[in-house]
């Protein structure tokens, strides 16, 4: 049984794609879908209500909740979803993520208790942009099922797959596994999401609220895993990459100021892919101004 939380803002057509992919899940798994609208003005409420009236049943329930448009408040939106979740396992899914038909049944059969499972998201990179070529973009937008059937997604692997291949270790053994914790598709026990206090609502621009959440989860001692078979496609859509880069830098500064760890320092000042290799060379992550930091000076 799974509670799926989908924050959304003015992306009606992409939201419908995500909802349809959830409707098509195999395995007869009871699913609660919580759509949290961050102030949309494009008819999102009407679309969700229509979807509910057409498809709600005992084992497939769609809920809609709205918060006023006061800027980028995806952290608050996800927290609303956490508070409404009725099942023991939460899956965060971004608008425009299209799940394979067996994605949730695969998760249920392979998810390890008291751990976080990161999904394998084809066509996605660390800036939250899609990597699907213009040639395949048109097909994916028009007919995602055909895109999957023809296995065109294989050409656009999740960028984290290549990043993690440099280590001879699974993700859960990396000292800063949290930096890969993007909530485009992420599963977590509801109790753990609540135990860490949900997402930090101080984030009011794109980027960072998800990995900061995962940092606090990892500090609890929770394992963060990457599951190749827990997969979906990031449907192409426009993104302001320049704006995202500036926003991400500001938010990384906030994360480092808040946590003051070697990992947050490296993420702020080094290239993403060097964070864990440096920490492994140094023997792991640690708080700054500690005896361990003095030993590295």
């Amino acid at each position: 049984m799974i509670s799926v939380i989908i924050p959304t803002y003015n992306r009606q057509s992409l939201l419908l794609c995500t909802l349809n992919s959830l409707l098509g899940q195999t395995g007869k798994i009871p699913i609660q879908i919580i759509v949290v609208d961050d102030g949309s003005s494009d008819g999102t409420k009407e679309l969700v209500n229509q979807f509910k009236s057409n498809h709600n049943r005992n084992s497939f329930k769609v809920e809609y909740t709205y918060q006023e448009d006061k800027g980028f408040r995806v952290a608050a939106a996800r927290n609303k979803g956490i508070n409404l979740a009725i099942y023991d396992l939460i899956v965060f899914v971004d608008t425009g993520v299209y799940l394979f038909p067996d994605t949730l049944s695969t998760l249920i059969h392979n998810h390890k208790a008291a751990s976080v499972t990161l999904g394998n998201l084809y066509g996605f990179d660390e800036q939250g942009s899609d990597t699907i070529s213009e040639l395949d973009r048109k097909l994916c937008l028009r007919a995602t099922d055909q895109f999957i059937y023809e296995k065109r997604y294989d050409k656009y692997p999740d960028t984290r797959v290549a990043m993690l291949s440099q280590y001879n270790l699974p993700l859960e053994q990396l000292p800063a596994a949290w930096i890969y914790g993007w909530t485009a598709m992420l599963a977590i026990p509801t109790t753990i999401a609540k135990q860490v206090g949900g997402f930090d609502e101080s984030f009011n621009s794109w980027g960072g609220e998800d990995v900061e959440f995962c940092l606090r989860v990892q500090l609890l001692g929770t394992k963060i895993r990457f599951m190749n078979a827990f997969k979906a496609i990031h449907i192409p859509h426009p993104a302001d990459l320049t704006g995202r880069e500036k926003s991400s830098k500001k938010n990384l500064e906030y994360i480092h100021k808040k946590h003051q760890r070697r990992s947050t320092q490296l993420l702020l000042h080094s290239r993403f892919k060097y964070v864990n290799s440096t920490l492994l060379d140094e023997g792991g992550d640690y708080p700054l101004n500690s005896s361990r930091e003095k030993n590295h000076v």
Side-chain angles (χ1 to χ4, degrees):
M1 298 183 288
I2 295 174
S3 293
V4 178
I5 298 172
I6 310 172
T8 195
Y9 177 73
N10 283 344
R11 284 184 171 168
Q12 187 188 87
S13 60
L14 288 172
L15 175 61
L16 182 59
C17 287
T18 299
L19 291 173
N20 282 331
S21 75
L22 289 165
L23 181 64
Q25 291 299 294
T26 59
K28 298 181 180 180
I29 301 165
I31 301 172
Q32 174 199 25
I33 299 172
I34 306 164
V35 177
V36 188
D37 189 346
D38 191 19
S40 296
S41 57
D42 66 345
T44 290
K45 179 179 180 180
E46 291 74 18
L47 179 142
V48 176
N49 285 338
Q50 185 62 52
F51 191 88
K52 285 170 59 177
S53 66
N54 291 341
H55 303 295
N56 262 20
R57 54 184 185 270
N58 287 338
S59 61
F60 187 88
K61 293 187 177 180
V62 180
E63 301 176 24
Y64 172 87
T65 186
Y66 178 89
Q67 63 185 23
E68 186 180 351
D69 185 0
K70 294 182 178 178
F72 186 93
R73 294 198 296 155
V74 71
R78 292 198 185 102
N79 287 341
K80 277 182 176 284
I82 292 170
N83 291 331
L84 291 170
I86 61 173
Y87 293 134
D88 292 338
L89 185 63
I90 286 172
V91 176
F92 294 108
V93 175
D94 278 358
T95 298
V97 169
Y98 194 95
L99 285 70
F100 285 61
D102 63 346
T103 294
L104 295 186
S105 60
T106 299
L107 172 67
I108 287 291
H109 289 114
N110 294 281
H111 178 78
K112 296 184 178 180
S115 68
V116 168
T117 301
L118 307 183
N120 182 6
L121 205 60
Y122 289 91
F124 197 65
D125 70 14
E126 69 269 26
Q127 290 300 317
S129 58
D130 70 82
T131 58
I132 296 174
S133 72
E134 186 61 35
L135 182 65
D136 281 335
R137 184 178 284 116
K138 293 177 181 177
L139 175 60
C140 188
L141 286 168
R142 185 177 71 252
T144 311
D145 285 332
Q146 184 181 348
F147 187 85
I148 291 174
Y149 177 76
E150 295 178 0
K151 294 190 175 181
R152 297 200 184 195
Y153 59 85
D154 276 345
K155 296 185 287 184
Y156 311 106
D158 188 322
T159 188
R160 292 171 295 183
V161 172
M163 292 177 182
L164 293 172
S165 67
Q166 68 180 299
Y167 306 108
N168 293 318
L169 295 169
L171 175 62
E172 60 263 33
Q173 293 183 25
L174 295 184
W178 61 269
I179 69 172
Y180 297 99
W182 309 337
T183 44
M185 193 169 74
L186 177 151
I188 183 171
T190 306
T191 53
I192 294 177
K194 291 181 176 180
Q195 186 179 353
V196 297
F199 290 80
D200 184 341
E201 297 184 15
S202 299
F203 289 90
N204 57 16
S205 62
W206 184 90
E209 85 291 332
D210 48 4
V211 295
E212 194 277 330
F213 172 78
C214 286
L215 168 55
R216 286 182 282 118
V217 167
Q218 186 170 351
L219 290 175
L220 280 180
T222 304
K223 297 295 185 183
I224 300 176
R225 297 181 167 89
F226 186 88
M227 186 190 297
N228 282 303
F230 178 41
K231 58 190 179 183
I233 291 173
H234 180 256
I235 297 176
H237 56 269
D240 176 11
L241 298 185
T242 301
R244 285 186 172 188
E245 185 176 354
K246 292 178 180 178
S247 174
S248 179
K249 181 66 164 33
K250 181 193 76 171
N251 290 341
L252 289 179
E253 290 172 351
Y254 169 73
I255 292 170
H256 180 53
K257 182 178 180 180
K258 178 177 179 178
H259 291 281
Q260 290 292 303
R261 300 187 65 81
R262 177 61 170 151
S263 58
T264 61
Q265 182 186 55
L266 287 168
L267 188 58
L268 179 60
H269 297 295
S270 305
R271 292 186 65 182
F272 184 94
K273 66 180 182 179
Y274 296 134
V275 173
N276 277 287
S277 56
T278 302
L279 291 174
L280 288 168
D281 288 343
E282 295 179 356
D285 193 14
Y286 52 88
L288 298 179
N289 300 316
S290 66
S291 58
R292 282 197 60 188
E293 182 192 19
K294 293 180 177 66
N295 290 335
H296 286 286
V297 174

